[in-house]
Each structure stands twice: as structure tokens, then as C-alpha cells.
Amino acid sequence: MLDTLLAETNWFPLLLSLKVAAVATLLAMVAGVTLGWLFARTRLPGRSVLEPFFMLPLVLPPTVMGYGILLLAGRRGPLGAWLRETFDYTIIFSWHGAVVASAIAALPLVMKSAGAAFAGVDRTIEAAASTLRQSRLSVFLRVTLPMAWPGILAGSLLAFARAMGEFGASLMVAGSIPQQTQTLSMAIYDTVQAGEDDRALLLVIVTALVSMTVLMLSNRLFAFR
């Protein structure tokens, strides 16, 4: 029975979820590392407001976040209308929309981990590197970033797990179109609605195993810091 269930299960949602989570994590890393460094190392004007603003995806209901994306990037939104008129492109009802929603949801995890990692780097080592005629960029790439990297990577793994499980905002922006935008979390919801309990349980187990693996890797990286 299990062999039959495995053979008959559509694994497209799993593959799409992995692709969406990977791209979303990459985007969250670029933005999160930048913001983490700014908040940890600079006296950024308005930091008391900006940092909580970028942390909002952790506490806002996913539907609120999805609605915000629709207001901005929907067909009638300022960004969405510009993309449609200029490039004939829209993220609505495409897997790109799921990437955007997942990246926004995962951003706070990378940002906080990166900020803590940069704050924990020994400034005396950076100062010593600066005396060797190294530019600020060179010191950052050769000293600061490698020393902060374990914390950044641990936060990125958490972000990947968060992106894998994103549901509400992705559903509002990308929809749940089979073989196009249906991620693993959406497939679980749809199979439960269809009364396919065995298939839903299988997908839940797969999701849990992937998430546990990512969390175990993240915990090991935090332990090595």
C-alpha cells in the first residue's frame, strides 16, 4: 500500500517548494546580511523604527503580508502596473510570487542572525587587518564575513525552513495552481480538503523530515559558533 501511495503521489509540489525556498533564501541572505551589518555596525538614522519594520513578517498574519504584496505588486499596484507595462510581467499567479512572499517571510531570520554574528566579531582583529594596508572592503570580505559566516549560515538555514513552510502569503499572491504554483504546504491543504488523508499524511511526514534536517544542521552551526 505504501509503495502504491508513493508511486501515485505527485512530487511536483516538493520540488517546487525546494526551488522556491532556495531562491527565497538567497534573496533573504543578500538583503538580510546587508541589513544585519547596517544595524550592527552603523548608527543608522531611524534605526529604532526601521529594525522593527523589517521584523514585522515574524509577527504579522501571513494574509496581511500577502495583501501588502498585492497592494504593491498586484496588477493595480504601483510596482505591479510598472512591471506589466514595461516588461509585460507579473508575479501574481506565478511561482515568482511565492518566492517573493517566502523571501519576505524569511528575511527577519537572516537579518537577526547576521546582526548578532557581525556584533560578535572581534573588532581588534579587524583593526589589525586594517593596519596591513587592507581596504574596508577587503577587511570585510577576508576577516569580518568569514568570522560571521557560521551565524549567517545558521540563520539562512532557519530562513530556508521558514520559506519551505510558507503558506498564507504565497497562497494569496501565487495561488495554488497544480503543476504551476502549488507548493508542498498548499498540496497538503488541498489533499486534506479533498479527503485524501493518507496522501496528506505522507506529505506532512516528508515536510517534517525536510524541516527537521534543516533545523538539525542549523543547531550544529550555532553550536560551533
Side-chain angles (χ1 to χ4, degrees):
M1 180 178 177
L2 179 59
D3 293 341
T4 303
L5 185 61
L6 288 171
E8 293 179 351
T9 297
N10 177 19
W11 295 108
F12 174 84
L14 173 60
L15 298 176
L16 179 62
S17 292
L18 292 171
K19 180 170 71 171
V20 167
V23 178
T25 302
L26 182 61
L27 294 176
M29 283 181 68
V30 173
V33 169
T34 303
L35 291 170
W37 184 85
L38 286 173
F39 291 136
R41 293 299 187 90
T42 66
R43 296 180 178 179
L44 194 65
R47 173 181 172 175
S48 61
V49 175
L50 288 174
E51 191 169 5
F53 173 79
F54 286 109
M55 293 296 295
L56 276 177
L58 280 181
V59 296
L60 282 178
T63 50
V64 174
M65 189 170 63
Y67 183 66
I69 296 173
L70 288 176
L71 286 179
L72 179 64
R75 295 185 178 182
R76 297 181 181 179
L79 179 59
W82 178 79
L83 288 173
R84 188 172 180 83
E85 293 174 3
T86 307
F87 303 104
D88 192 25
Y89 167 79
T90 179
I91 66 170
I92 307 303
F93 297 120
S94 77
W95 70 275
H96 297 159
V99 168
V100 172
S102 299
I104 293 174
L107 173 62
L109 295 171
V110 181
M111 186 184 78
K112 291 300 289 185
S113 297
F118 286 130
V121 173
D122 192 342
R123 298 287 188 96
T124 59
I125 299 177
E126 294 177 317
S130 299
T131 62
L132 301 176
R133 296 182 179 179
Q134 298 291 318
S135 65
R136 289 187 176 182
L137 179 61
S138 178
V139 171
F140 175 79
L141 294 177
R142 296 185 179 185
V143 178
T144 309
L145 188 59
M147 293 182 69
W149 184 245
I152 294 172
L153 185 56
S156 299
L157 287 172
L158 290 176
F160 181 88
R162 175 66 182 85
M164 275 285 295
E166 217 302 301
F167 175 73
S170 296
L171 183 62
M172 291 188 68
V173 176
S176 181
I177 306 172
Q179 301 300 115
Q180 294 186 42
T181 66
Q182 188 184 59
T183 58
L184 198 54
S185 57
M186 297 176 193
I188 293 171
Y189 179 81
D190 290 342
T191 52
V192 170
Q193 292 294 100
E196 301 176 5
D197 294 338
D198 291 341
R199 201 178 309 279
L201 179 59
L202 175 62
L203 295 177
V204 167
I205 292 173
V206 170
T207 304
L209 289 175
V210 173
S211 299
M212 284 184 63
T213 300
V214 173
L215 291 174
M216 288 170 63
L217 290 172
S218 178
N219 286 338
R220 293 195 63 174
L221 285 171
F222 272 122
F224 286 140
R225 287 183 60 189

